[in-house]
């Protein structure tokens, strides 16, 4: 961990995985595929090289993100803290793009993010983290006292932030619960923001693990019970499928872990959530300022997503026409 603002890693041993680039480079230079590339037309060969390069960058960014890079120092101000760790677990599947969340014409994801942002701003004491999930869950922002880091991530989040198909709430909850490993004793809460539809995984298994570890799941259900067609992206097979909010699943998630269910379409949903978080842990005094290395993993996750997209879907990818 950085103690003077210098560049460091929480898990530096993960960087040994970068050694994988040695055989990759040797293969690129001396492999049989290299000889075949030489026989390709010049333009196609350049496109293939650029595609491979972006994929190499993707691998490197993933490895660096897993090592949790840190640089810079932030100092917390003298204030009251809450012995409460909160992870916003946000479903970013295609169904969350449906615009049936309340009367304001918002998508389910937009409504859920608004609730998360308003809550974090209203309850500044806890440590916050953010996990996102589609086919797979990812802990995008680890727990930090710097609530601005989580808020900044939530401001930029959209359904295309992670590749994959379907919805796996078990994987999302598992990724969110991973934020609590090795942390100091505090009340641990996952705020699950979703329409409740899960096409894979076993959500009950994840909920039982949370309950066994003392993790509370607060379920914020967004979307309408009647449902609307899933918007198309030209790729997903579920285009046009009617997707409705599964309130029963979200109620079960809260009930099995001792949390509460919140109707995300209510205008006062953020206020209810904020009040509940305050009730879970009283404020505790904290004197002086606390230096804390800034977590930069989310930057490399974003770079990895961009690099992967460029390697697969950009006009530079092999076989694509300009």
């Amino acid at each position: 961990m950085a103690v003077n603002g210098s560049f460091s890693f929480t898990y530096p041993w993960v960087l040994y995985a970068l050694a994988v680039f040695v055989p990759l480079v040797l293969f690129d230079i001396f492999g049989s595929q290299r000889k075949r590339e030489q026989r390709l037309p010049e333009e196609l060969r350049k496109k293939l090289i650029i595609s491979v390069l972006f994929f190499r960058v993707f691998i490197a960014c993933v490895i660096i993100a897993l090592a949790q890079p840190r640089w810079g120092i932030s100092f917390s101000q003298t204030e009251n803290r809450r012995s409460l760790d909160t992870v916003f677990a946000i479903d970013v599947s295609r169904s969350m793009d449906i615009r049936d969340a309340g009367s304001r014409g918002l998508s389910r994801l937009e409504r859920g993010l608004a609730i998360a942002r308003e809550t974090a701003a209203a309850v500044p004491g806890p440590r916050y983290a953010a996990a996102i999930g589609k086919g797979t869950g990812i802990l995008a922002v680890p727990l930090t006292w710097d609530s601005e880091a989580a808020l900044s991530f939530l401001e930029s989040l959209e359904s295309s932030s992670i590749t994959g198909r379907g919805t796996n709430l078990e994987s999302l909850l598992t990724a969110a619960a991973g934020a609590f490993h090795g942390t100091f004793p505090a009340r641990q809460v996952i705020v699950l923001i979703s329409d409740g539809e899960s096409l894979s995984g076993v959500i009950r298994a994840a909920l039982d693990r949370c309950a066994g570890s003392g993790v509370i799941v607060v379920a914020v259900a967004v979307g309408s019970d009647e449902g609307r067609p899933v918007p198309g992206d030209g790729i997903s097979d579920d285009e046009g499928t009617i997707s409705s909010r599964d309130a029963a699943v979200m109620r079960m998630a809260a009930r099995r872990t001792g949390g509460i269910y919140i109707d995300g379409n209510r205008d006062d949903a953020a206020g209810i959530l904020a009040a509940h978080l305050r009730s879970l842990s009283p404020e505790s005094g904290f004197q002086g300022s606390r230096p804390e290395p800034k977590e930069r993993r989310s930057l490399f996750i974003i770079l990895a997503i961009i690099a992967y997209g460029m390697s697969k879907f950009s006009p530079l990818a092999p076989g694509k026409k300009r």
Side-chain angles (χ1 to χ4, degrees):
M1 180 178 291
V3 293
N4 57 0
S6 60
F7 197 96
S8 65
F9 298 89
T10 303
Y11 305 110
W13 51 268
V14 175
L15 296 176
Y16 288 120
L18 291 173
V20 72
F21 281 94
V22 175
L24 286 177
V25 171
L26 292 177
F27 179 78
D28 290 341
I29 297 175
F30 302 107
S32 58
Q33 182 178 352
R34 179 69 173 179
K35 297 179 181 179
R36 291 195 297 269
E37 290 176 3
Q38 297 298 329
R39 296 195 292 268
L40 295 175
E42 181 68 16
E43 183 178 1
L44 182 58
R45 186 167 63 87
K46 289 181 178 179
K47 291 179 180 180
L48 180 60
I49 291 173
I50 293 175
S51 178
V52 171
L53 175 61
F54 274 116
F55 192 74
R56 299 288 187 263
V57 172
F58 161 73
I59 295 175
C61 288
V62 169
I63 293 173
I64 295 173
L66 290 174
Q68 294 189 14
R70 297 172 179 267
W71 68 83
I73 290 289
S74 62
F75 290 90
S76 58
Q77 300 298 317
T78 300
E79 57 183 325
N80 287 333
R81 296 292 194 188
R82 295 181 183 273
S83 55
L84 178 68
D85 289 339
T86 304
V87 182
F88 290 110
I90 303 171
D91 178 4
V92 293
S93 59
R94 292 294 302 173
S95 65
M96 293 291 284
D97 286 335
I98 298 175
R99 295 189 173 277
D100 64 347
S103 59
R104 302 178 183 177
L106 297 177
S107 71
R108 299 174 182 180
L109 179 58
E110 289 170 344
R111 178 56 181 154
L113 291 175
I115 293 172
R117 290 192 297 265
E118 291 174 24
T119 300
V123 189
R127 293 196 302 172
Y128 286 107
I132 57 177
K134 187 176 286 187
T136 302
I138 296 175
L139 179 62
V141 180
L143 283 168
T144 176
W145 291 114
D146 184 9
S147 60
E148 290 299 322
L151 287 173
S152 297
F153 177 78
L154 295 176
E155 288 285 353
S156 62
L157 188 59
E158 55 186 26
S159 63
S160 60
S161 298
I162 180 174
T163 58
R165 298 184 183 183
T167 310
N168 189 333
L169 294 183
E170 178 189 5
S171 180
L172 174 57
L173 287 172
T174 299
F180 302 128
H181 293 169
T183 61
F184 61 82
R187 297 296 297 272
Q188 299 172 341
V189 179
I190 294 175
V191 178
L192 176 62
I193 299 175
S194 173
D195 54 20
E197 287 194 333
S198 186
L199 303 179
S200 60
V202 182
I203 187 174
R204 288 178 181 269
L207 292 171
D208 288 342
R209 290 193 293 270
C210 288
S213 301
V215 177
I216 298 171
V217 176
V218 175
V220 180
V222 292
S224 65
D225 298 326
E226 299 79 16
R228 288 187 182 179
V230 176
D233 61 355
I235 299 176
S236 300
D237 297 330
D238 55 0
E239 177 179 349
T241 302
I242 300 299
S243 171
S244 58
R245 177 175 64 176
D246 194 336
V249 168
M250 298 295 280
R251 290 181 186 278
M252 181 268 293
R255 184 175 62 253
R256 292 178 76 92
T257 59
I260 64 171
Y261 170 87
I262 299 175
D263 183 349
N265 295 335
R266 293 181 52 154
D267 291 337
D268 60 349
I272 296 173
L273 177 56
H276 183 64
L277 292 181
R278 293 191 193 99
S279 70
L280 290 175
S281 179
E283 291 183 341
S284 57
F286 173 75
Q287 301 296 323
S289 61
R290 180 199 302 260
E292 184 179 67
K294 290 186 178 180
E295 173 64 61
R296 308 290 185 172
R297 180 169 64 168
S298 58
L299 171 63
F300 287 92
I301 291 176
I302 294 173
L303 290 176
I305 293 172
I306 293 173
Y308 183 82
M310 292 296 293
S311 71
K312 296 295 182 182
F313 306 113
S314 75
L316 295 174
K320 300 284 185 180
K321 295 182 179 180
R322 291 178 182 269

